[in-house]
Amino acid sequence: MKRAVLWVFVALVVSYLVLPALVVVPMSFNTSPFLQFPPPGYTTQWYEQFFADPEWTDAVLLSVRVAAFAALIAVLTGTAMAYALVRGGLRFPRSVETLSALPMVVPVIIYGAGAYVLAIGLSGVSSTVLLAVAHGVLAVPFVVINVRAALETTDSRLELAAQTLGASPFTAFRTVVLPLIAPAVASGGLLSLVLSLDETVVALFLTDGGSQTLPVKMFSSISYQLNPLVPVAASVMLSLTVVLGLTYLGIRLVARIARPRTSRRGVTLQEDLV
């Protein structure tokens, strides 16, 4: 009985979180030019207009480019920071840990305003690059959390054994540690992609009318009028998020299945070294 009540509660919570996002899908096929639910009829004309309009397609492509660069920055920086926290022997690890979590706790409006002030002094740098760096900084904590957890459950003696056999520290990390923590690194990268694709506040500060990400374009399209293409854009964004979410779950599932095999290989390697 308790299990049934728990499942009902979970279903209600999931429905509360998911259903509002799914409403945009039927609205994107609305025959009415107004944002109306339930739709009086269904048509694909808004999708045809969306993908035929270069302003919307350019916004999608810009969002994808920014998210890709932001994820790369976050993965490289976050992985290095997580490794330093776990294996680096830092004198003040608590301070570094707090510093790595700051992008999660600082209000995004303050971060956006600060990024805007810095962008004024870097007027010669492309706004796309500045936005990618800003999104990458916001995503670093998610990579640090994932990679640090993986490093803490990985036997450090395997890396030391590789170095004892003649491998350089970088080679030992690349050939021994990185394959073991690859699922966590990939998960952090996917979370960084989702965060960048969804981020609006910082993008409002760092983009202009000529180069808008998809969330900024959606925001500007409903600020002064009701645009029937906004639900289409929301559906496209939702589709990208769902694909990334399923990929993330797939990576975690594969990592959970492969973890015992990795552990057995590690134990065998340790026994061979002994």
Side-chain angles (χ1 to χ4, degrees):
M1 181 63 183
K2 292 182 179 180
R3 183 179 294 272
V5 173
L6 178 61
W7 278 107
V8 170
F9 176 75
V10 170
L12 291 175
V13 172
V14 171
S15 299
Y16 176 78
L17 295 174
V18 174
L19 289 180
L22 297 180
V23 168
V24 299
V25 177
M27 288 180 62
S28 65
F29 295 96
N30 198 348
T31 54
S32 172
F34 304 102
L35 301 181
Q36 182 178 349
F37 185 85
Y42 295 92
T43 180
T44 60
Q45 62 173 329
W46 308 122
Y47 279 90
E48 296 171 2
Q49 291 187 23
F50 179 87
F51 289 106
D53 190 337
E55 291 187 2
W56 285 101
T57 54
D58 289 347
V60 174
L61 294 176
L62 179 62
S63 292
V64 172
R65 288 200 303 271
V66 169
F69 283 118
L72 179 62
I73 293 170
V75 165
L76 293 177
T77 306
T79 301
M81 188 172 291
Y83 185 85
L85 286 170
V86 178
R87 305 277 176 83
L90 300 177
R91 293 185 60 184
F92 306 103
R94 293 290 185 183
S95 300
V96 177
E97 183 179 3
T98 302
L99 181 65
S100 68
L102 281 180
M104 295 181 66
V105 297
V106 174
V108 68
I109 187 70
I110 297 177
Y111 178 79
Y116 175 73
V117 173
L118 291 177
I120 294 176
L122 300 172
S123 57
V125 182
S126 169
S127 61
T128 302
V129 174
L130 293 175
L131 183 58
V133 173
H135 283 183
V137 172
L138 286 175
V140 163
F142 298 94
V143 180
V144 172
I145 292 172
N146 277 275
V147 176
R148 183 179 180 181
L151 285 170
E152 288 177 344
T153 58
T154 301
D155 195 340
S156 61
R157 291 176 295 179
L158 299 176
E159 184 180 6
L160 294 175
Q163 295 181 25
T164 302
L165 295 174
S168 65
F170 177 75
T171 301
F173 173 80
R174 179 176 57 84
T175 58
V176 177
V177 179
L178 189 58
L180 296 175
I181 64 172
V185 174
S187 298
L190 288 173
L191 290 175
S192 302
L193 285 171
V194 172
L195 185 145
S196 178
L197 288 173
D198 184 61
E199 206 286 319
T200 308
V201 176
V202 176
L204 282 170
F205 279 99
L206 298 181
T207 56
D208 51 34
S211 58
Q212 295 180 331
T213 60
L214 187 57
V216 174
K217 178 66 175 174
M218 292 169 61
F219 179 82
S220 61
S221 296
I222 62 175
S223 297
Y224 305 104
Q225 61 181 353
L226 297 177
N227 194 328
L229 297 184
V230 171
V232 178
S235 298
V236 172
M237 181 69 70
L238 181 62
S239 300
L240 292 173
T241 305
V242 169
V243 170
L244 292 175
L246 293 176
T247 305
Y248 173 79
L249 292 177
I251 290 175
R252 303 303 297 181
L253 179 61
V254 171
R256 180 173 297 181
I257 296 174
R259 188 67 184 179
R261 298 178 182 177
T262 304
S263 300
R264 285 196 295 271
R265 287 199 299 269
V267 171
T268 302
L269 178 57
Q270 293 177 48
E271 292 175 350
D272 292 342
L273 293 173
V274 174

